[in-house]
């Protein structure tokens, strides 16, 4: 009995503390996980741009020498249908964290302190991965912004849901350097007629992080609103798309974009203190004999020999739309 009462009192206390803390919280907060190398590379220019990332730091050599680099251009007629690929499982939930502006991109860093982690399993993954951040890549024009391309075409943006292998590694920094460390779910961003309610939560915060390396709190972001409804994806082995370009990433590209309004896109483009001019997308890298597998069966009528190269890819009507 006594123990029970104590427990309840402790809970009340910790709630009280949380409430007080959130009242005292200022708009702009401390940025965790600041990348100290961030000043040493850029998205444009011959001195620090993508073509010389590999020479800027010895830990980044693989940006130049690596043969499994990302992003890539996905050529629909070279996709390989793999019937063994299961649907991806994402435990969707509301997440808390901070939105960071570090001049290169906007990143939502997820706090796993109080809530259970968002676990990502199945699909091409054989381990459980824990979501740790969502990165936003975008450009100034409608036709630039995404890092991956489909048949040479870019989308207006790309949301990257980054997760680390929580079965093998203690945290994402350790996972990034090790085999099967990272899984990234890429969702293309397109301009549509209506806005996206979860994206609106981002939008309202962009205006607050108006100087470099600043963060602002964001609570209760509903992850599922940022994910298109689809079981269809493409997957391949690649790398991180920012230095040090580690080749430890299982990429999963969802076959449908999410739509945001033109106003939301324009506000995103106007976020200050982004140092690039055109987009924060790394140029596409050579495929080098890698296979891009998909669970999209383009030949549903063919029962036999289901594992074959599709030569009749018709883009999902939404994919490729400007
Ligand atoms: C994710 O997995 C961990 C470890 O198994 C578990 O504690 C947590 O509750 C899971 N998250 C959700 C949202 O179920
Ligand atoms: C970009 O897309 C929006 C919405 O579809 C459109 O109104 C606008 O004119 C486009 N801009 C250009 C330069 O094509
Ligand atoms: C990540 O985990 C490794 C290994 O346990 C540890 O040495 C390192 O300090 C951790 N890094 C962070 C940022 O927590």
């Amino acid at each position: 009995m006594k123990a029970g009462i104590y427990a309840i009192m402790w809970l009340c206390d910790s709630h009280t503390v949380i409430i007080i803390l959130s009242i005292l919280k200022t708009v702009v907060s401390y940025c965790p996980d600041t990348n100290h190398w961030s000043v040493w590379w850029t998205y444009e220019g011959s001195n620090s741009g993508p073509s010389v990332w590999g020479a800027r730091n010895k830990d980044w050599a693989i940006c130049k020498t690596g043969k499994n680099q990302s992003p890539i251009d996905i050529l629909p007629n070279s996709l390989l249908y793999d019937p063994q690929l299961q649907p991806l499982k994402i435990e969707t939930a509301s997440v808390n964290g901070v939105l960071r502006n570090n001049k290169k991109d906007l990143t939502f860093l997820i706090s796993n302190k109080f809530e259970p982690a968002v676990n990502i399993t199945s699909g091409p993954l054989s381990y459980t991965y824990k979501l740790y951040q969502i990165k936003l890549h975008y450009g100034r024009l409608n036709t630039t912004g995404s890092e991956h391309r489909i048949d040479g075409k870019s989308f207006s943006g790309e949301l990257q849901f980054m997760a680390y292998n929580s079965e093998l590694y203690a945290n994402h920094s350790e996972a990034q350097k090790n085999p099967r460390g990272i899984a990234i779910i890429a969702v293309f961003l397109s301009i549509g007629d209506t806005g996206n309610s979860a994206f609106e939560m981002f939008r309202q915060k962009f205006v607050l992080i108006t100087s470099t390396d600043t963060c602002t709190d964001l609570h209760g972001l509903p992850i599922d609103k940022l994910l298109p409804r689809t079981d269809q994806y493409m997957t391949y082995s690649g790398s991180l798309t920012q230095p040090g370009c580690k080749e430890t990433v299982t990429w999963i590209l969802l076959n449908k974009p999410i739509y945001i309004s033109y106003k939301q896109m324009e506000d995103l483009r106007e976020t200050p203190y982004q140092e690039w001019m055109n987009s924060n997308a790394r140029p596409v890298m050579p495929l080098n004999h890698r296979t891009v597998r998909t669970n999209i069966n383009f030949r549903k009528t063919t029962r036999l020999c289901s594992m074959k190269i599709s030569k009749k890819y018709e883009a999902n009507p939404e994919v490729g739309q400007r």
Side-chain angles (χ1 to χ4, degrees):
M1 274 309 271
K2 235 181 176 178
I5 291 161
Y6 270 115
I8 289 162
M9 283 171 64
W10 181 83
L11 267 180
C12 294
D13 277 344
S14 65
H15 266 114
T16 315
V17 170
I18 291 163
I19 290 159
I20 291 167
L21 282 180
S22 44
I23 291 166
L24 292 178
K25 234 167 234 164
T26 50
V27 170
V28 173
S29 58
Y30 164 73
C31 279
D33 201 27
T34 301
N35 180 357
H36 298 290
W37 292 106
S38 62
V39 288
W40 293 79
W41 63 275
T42 59
Y43 276 105
E44 282 137 352
S46 52
N47 292 328
S48 51
S51 60
V52 295
W53 287 353
R56 303 288 296 177
N57 178 318
K58 67 175 172 26
D59 290 337
W60 303 350
I62 203 164
C63 296
K64 184 168 180 62
T65 55
K67 297 258 169 84
N68 289 268
Q69 290 289 296
S70 295
I72 56 167
D73 183 13
I74 307 263
L75 298 175
N77 64 3
S78 61
L79 288 172
L80 185 71
Y81 172 56
D82 181 352
Q84 302 303 322
L85 285 173
Q86 302 300 308
L88 194 64
K89 285 187 195 144
I90 308 170
E91 279 167 5
T92 58
S94 287
V95 293
N96 299 336
V98 295
L99 194 64
R100 181 187 69 193
N101 183 345
N102 71 346
K103 292 198 282 189
K104 315 286 187 225
D105 61 55
L106 297 164
T107 307
F108 181 59
L109 307 160
I110 291 163
S111 148
N112 287 322
K113 269 187 205 134
F114 299 111
E115 309 78 16
V118 173
N119 302 315
I120 300 171
T121 53
S122 193
L125 308 170
S126 38
Y127 296 95
T128 298
Y129 289 75
K130 198 189 231 185
L131 189 67
Y132 67 96
Q133 66 183 23
I134 305 171
K135 219 173 244 298
L136 267 157
H137 291 272
Y138 58 101
R140 304 280 174 220
L141 305 171
N142 293 344
T143 48
T144 57
S146 69
E147 296 214 285
H148 286 88
R149 293 173 180 218
I150 304 282
D151 216 4
K153 292 187 184 119
S154 302
F155 289 76
S156 301
E158 184 173 328
L159 280 173
Q160 295 176 352
F161 293 76
M162 303 176 69
Y164 73 92
N165 182 331
S166 58
E167 286 186 57
L168 297 185
Y169 308 115
N171 51 51
H172 68 87
S173 12
E174 193 198 341
Q176 277 181 11
K177 297 175 215 146
N178 286 292
R180 306 268 173 240
I182 302 291
I184 305 181
I185 299 171
V187 176
F188 291 118
L189 214 54
S190 259
I191 296 167
D193 295 335
T194 52
N196 177 294
S197 59
F199 196 87
E200 186 60 21
M201 296 177 75
F202 278 146
R203 199 193 64 82
Q204 288 173 357
K205 298 286 182 175
F206 299 150
V207 290
L208 300 175
I209 41 179
T210 54
S211 60
T212 183
D213 261 324
T214 49
C215 287
T216 185
D217 294 307
L218 176 49
H219 294 283
L221 181 78
I223 297 282
D224 57 332
K225 296 278 185 347
L226 293 173
L227 293 164
R229 279 201 195 156
T230 181
D231 282 336
Q232 300 186 325
Y233 60 83
M234 293 152 276
T235 183
Y236 76 99
S237 291
S239 73
L240 296 171
T241 59
Q242 294 181 335
C245 313
K246 299 286 182 245
E247 296 185 337
T248 53
V249 182
T250 303
W251 279 93
I252 301 163
L253 284 81
L254 300 188
N255 188 41
K256 277 186 183 174
I258 59 158
Y259 292 93
I260 62 170
S261 67
Y262 189 49
K263 169 93 176 93
Q264 286 179 325
M265 191 68 220
E266 285 288 278
D267 285 353
L268 174 61
R269 286 171 180 153
E270 278 161 25
T271 303
Y273 292 94
Q274 288 289 301
E275 64 186 7
W276 42 269
M277 293 294 291
N278 298 314
S279 82
N280 62 355
R282 184 189 193 190
V284 289
M285 303 301 288
L287 191 59
N288 291 324
H289 311 295
R290 279 174 288 176
T291 303
V292 183
R293 292 182 298 148
T294 181
N295 64 348
I296 310 166
N297 187 353
F298 300 107
R299 297 185 165 187
K300 280 211 178 89
T301 49
T302 314
R303 294 251 159 185
L304 300 168
C305 307
S306 52
M307 210 153 142
K308 62 169 77 173
I309 294 167
S310 165
K311 296 206 176 75
K312 281 194 177 169
Y313 180 85
E314 296 285 355
N316 178 318
E318 287 166 327
V319 171
Q321 179 176 311
R322 286 302 79 152

